[in-house]
Amino acid sequence: MSRQSTLVFRERGKTNTQNVKNLFLNYLKKPSIFKNKEVLTESFFPDEILHRDNELMQISSILAPALRGYKPNNLFIYGGVGTGKTVCVKLILKQLEEIVKKNKLNVKPVYVNCKLKKVADTEYRLLAQLLFEIGIVVPDTGLPTDVLYRKFFNEVEKQKKIIIIALDEIDALVRKIGDDFLYNFTRINTELEKGKISFIGITNNLNFCNELDARVKSSLSEEEIIFHPYNATQLRDILKQRVDKAFNKGVVSDAVINKCAALAAQEHGDARRALDLLRVAGEIAERYNSDVVTEEHVDIAEKKIDLDGVTESIRKLPRQSQAVLNALLKLTNNSNKPVTTIEVFNVYRDICLKNNLRVLTTRRVSDLLNELTTLGIINTRVVSKGRYGRTREISLNIDSDVRENVEKILSLNFN
Ligand SMILES: Nc1ncnc2c1ncn2[C@@H]1O[C@H](COP(=O)(O)OP(=O)(O)O)[C@@H](O)[C@H]1O
Ligand SMILES: [Mg+2]
């Protein structure tokens, strides 16, 4: 909300010191919109996971044999973002852990979030984390990884345990360290006699499995479960479940909940997005000094979330991709009219020369354009030019107000 003008006011005859003080005092005086905002964030664990009974039962019954000392089949879980994969697996592993403790069983569930840098940035870190989970502490660096593997397997064997390792966002891990580690685990697993290791791989990337080494793929996906997107009714239930805990009474109407649910359902059926919409709408209502959240606040929230999302992903792009995008921005100059790859390339080359950047081949630039398409930042369309063959038309896929922001970011990075 960089251009939020409603808050910037100055009462006549008052110093800005007084204005600032009054803003704080008024804020304190007003009844709060939120009761507990945290309820709408990822860190909150819902009492009840809605509309996922089948998935919960399926996963639990795949893992249950561990309780009798059998190695559960490896399991692969995939589905779009915000479809409840993480929350379901965490609930199941927590229940499993409780039962294991109570009955003193030799089973150890381990959950690893592969997106966390400190946990799984390198093969070494991953192994160190897994060792830590089974009670072995190794130095932060310095040992050869095969020593770590051996330590891990010896310990599993010694403890005679069934270790169930859930690797959440496993695609992020494989992108960083390759899929050799999975191969190593599956291979050595077959040599274990007393201990056993099972994997649960979780990913948002539906194509991930196909990118894996064939041996790893077949071993990892002995079982597969897909999490489908939520529809608007299901999202509404998920929001309703939290509304009373998150907001004060009378602040959020059914119409607002329905709107958040409908918008998120249209997008990807993503529960995270529905919760974000409601939270951000609440924050906006608060900033506008409103007593209630309105549907208009939800509209503004949607724009803000998109804007933040696009600017964030553009900030994170490698410099070469930013240069390609910058070329496209310059070419399309305030319109979304399509241009060709060659036009983009020519402007891109000028930008590189001006900025001391290596000029990549047209082929590589073409790859970068594909990546930008996958990220949803641009659109590409192949059009037939009759007997002159086919050409690609490229256009920007961002709103004009987002465009302004993107131009600002890129103008800071390039001459
Ligand atoms: N069925 C559900 N019932 C209640 N809350 C849910 C449900 N599914 C997802 N959520 C909530 O939505 C957010 C995203 O869910 P998450 O499990 O992280 O999705 P994924 O791992 O598939 O991307 C979390 O805050 C989670 O608590
Ligand atoms: Mg997740």
Side-chain angles (χ1 to χ4, degrees):
M1 301 295 299
S2 51
R3 280 172 286 144
Q4 198 175 34
S5 55
T6 43
L7 286 178
V8 191
F9 65 93
R10 180 156 183 174
E11 279 184 58
R12 211 172 282 190
K14 292 220 170 109
T15 63
N16 46 19
T17 311
Q18 282 167 325
N19 278 330
V20 169
K21 189 174 167 189
N22 282 343
L23 187 146
F24 285 145
L25 288 176
N26 282 334
Y27 184 90
L28 267 182
K29 248 191 271 162
K30 265 185 97 59
S32 162
I33 289 252
F34 290 106
K35 199 188 277 175
N36 179 4
K37 199 167 24 175
E38 185 136 327
V39 171
L40 301 173
T41 64
E42 210 90 342
S43 54
F44 178 82
F45 208 90
D47 304 329
E48 164 86 5
I49 297 178
L50 303 169
H51 301 295
R52 284 296 182 231
D53 288 341
N54 280 341
E55 291 79 358
L56 286 167
M57 292 304 123
Q58 278 181 48
I59 300 170
S60 308
S61 51
I62 289 167
L63 301 185
L67 300 172
R68 293 205 197 282
Y70 299 109
K71 173 186 145 21
N73 279 341
N74 291 331
L75 163 64
F76 210 81
I77 299 177
Y78 49 100
V81 288
T83 52
K85 301 178 299 298
T86 298
V87 80
C88 284
V89 168
K90 278 190 171 168
L91 175 133
I92 291 166
L93 294 187
K94 198 163 151 248
Q95 289 307 310
L96 185 64
E97 180 125 45
E98 275 177 26
I99 293 189
V100 161
K101 273 206 182 119
K102 222 183 219 160
N103 295 280
K104 301 206 170 58
L105 299 172
N106 240 356
V107 180
K108 170 77 185 166
V110 176
Y111 172 87
V112 179
N113 179 351
C114 303
K115 273 247 168 106
L116 289 184
K117 275 205 171 138
K118 279 200 185 129
V119 176
D121 216 19
T122 59
E123 191 175 17
Y124 193 100
R125 282 223 168 110
L126 174 72
L127 286 163
Q129 175 69 19
L130 293 176
L131 276 161
F132 176 78
E133 295 281 353
I134 57 169
I136 305 252
V137 177
V138 291
D140 282 347
T141 52
L143 297 173
T145 47
D146 52 326
V147 171
L148 296 185
Y149 277 110
R150 199 152 329 116
K151 264 185 196 292
F152 187 78
F153 293 111
N154 288 344
E155 189 61 25
V156 173
E157 195 76 337
K158 196 173 108 200
Q159 295 183 9
K160 302 195 182 83
K161 268 205 178 121
I162 298 182
I163 318 274
I164 299 175
I165 304 174
L167 297 173
D168 201 350
E169 314 251 3
I170 189 173
D171 46 317
L173 183 62
V174 168
R175 225 177 300 126
K176 279 185 281 191
I177 71 175
D179 63 4
D180 283 355
F181 76 98
L182 284 169
Y183 179 65
N184 292 341
F185 271 105
T186 46
R187 194 172 46 88
I188 308 181
N189 208 4
T190 56
E191 292 165 16
L192 289 173
E193 281 172 8
K194 300 178 193 111
K196 298 170 180 85
I197 304 169
S198 291
F199 278 101
I200 306 174
I202 309 169
T203 178
N204 299 325
N205 177 352
L206 304 184
N207 282 323
F208 171 73
C209 239
N210 298 330
E211 294 159 15
L212 290 175
D213 178 290
R215 288 164 302 185
V216 172
K217 181 183 165 189
S218 70
S219 145
L220 198 63
S221 51
E222 287 169 327
E223 312 270 356
E224 282 184 359
I225 294 184
I226 301 174
F227 277 58
H228 294 286
Y230 294 113
N231 62 33
T233 317
Q234 294 169 329
L235 290 172
R236 197 185 58 202
D237 292 341
I238 291 171
L239 293 175
K240 278 202 161 157
Q241 182 196 35
R242 302 194 192 196
V243 142
D244 291 344
K245 287 199 190 84
F247 292 94
N248 278 316
K249 223 178 150 134
V251 168
V252 174
S253 64
D254 281 352
V256 164
I257 294 178
N258 291 345
K259 177 143 197 176
C260 294
L263 287 175
Q266 270 168 28
E267 193 86 354
H268 297 113
D270 167 353
R272 185 177 300 120
R273 176 143 180 123
L275 290 163
D276 281 349
L277 276 168
L278 192 57
R279 194 194 72 248
V280 176
E283 288 169 354
I284 286 161
E286 201 162 53
R287 268 189 243 170
Y288 280 107
N289 262 325
S290 169
D291 297 331
V292 293
V293 181
T294 65
E295 289 174 69
E296 216 190 334
H297 295 146
V298 179
D299 282 326
I300 303 173
E302 191 190 27
K303 284 222 179 79
K304 175 169 162 48
I305 292 171
D306 286 347
L307 180 62
D308 291 354
V310 175
T311 39
E312 179 65 17
S313 59
I314 285 169
R315 243 189 221 116
K316 278 200 221 138
L317 284 176
R319 203 164 149 70
Q320 283 286 353
S321 304
Q322 287 185 342
V324 171
L325 184 62
N326 201 21
L328 188 59
L329 277 166
K330 280 190 186 308
L331 265 172
T332 54
N333 203 10
N334 256 336
S335 79
N336 279 1
K337 83 168 167 30
V339 293
T340 64
T341 315
I342 235 11
E343 286 175 299
V344 175
F345 182 78
N346 289 337
V347 180
Y348 155 82
R349 195 185 41 213
D350 291 344
I351 293 173
C352 289
L353 294 176
K354 252 199 215 151
N355 290 276
N356 267 334
L357 204 61
R358 195 159 59 94
V359 181
L360 300 178
T361 60
T362 41
R363 182 119 208 180
R364 275 294 295 141
V365 170
S366 219
D367 290 343
L368 295 180
L369 284 167
N370 284 339
E371 283 170 28
L372 291 171
T373 313
T374 315
L375 286 172
I377 298 169
I378 64 172
N379 284 326
T380 50
R381 199 166 69 101
V382 177
V383 284
S384 168
K385 296 260 165 179
R387 62 194 169 98
Y388 300 108
R390 292 175 334 151
T391 166
R392 267 204 320 178
E393 279 189 357
I394 302 152
S395 59
L396 270 172
N397 187 28
I398 49 183
D399 288 346
S400 51
D401 42 349
V402 178
R403 183 188 174 110
E404 234 177 75
N405 245 285
V406 174
E407 275 171 347
K408 244 185 250 160
I409 299 174
L410 293 181
S411 69
L412 290 173
N413 285 358
F414 296 99
N415 292 321

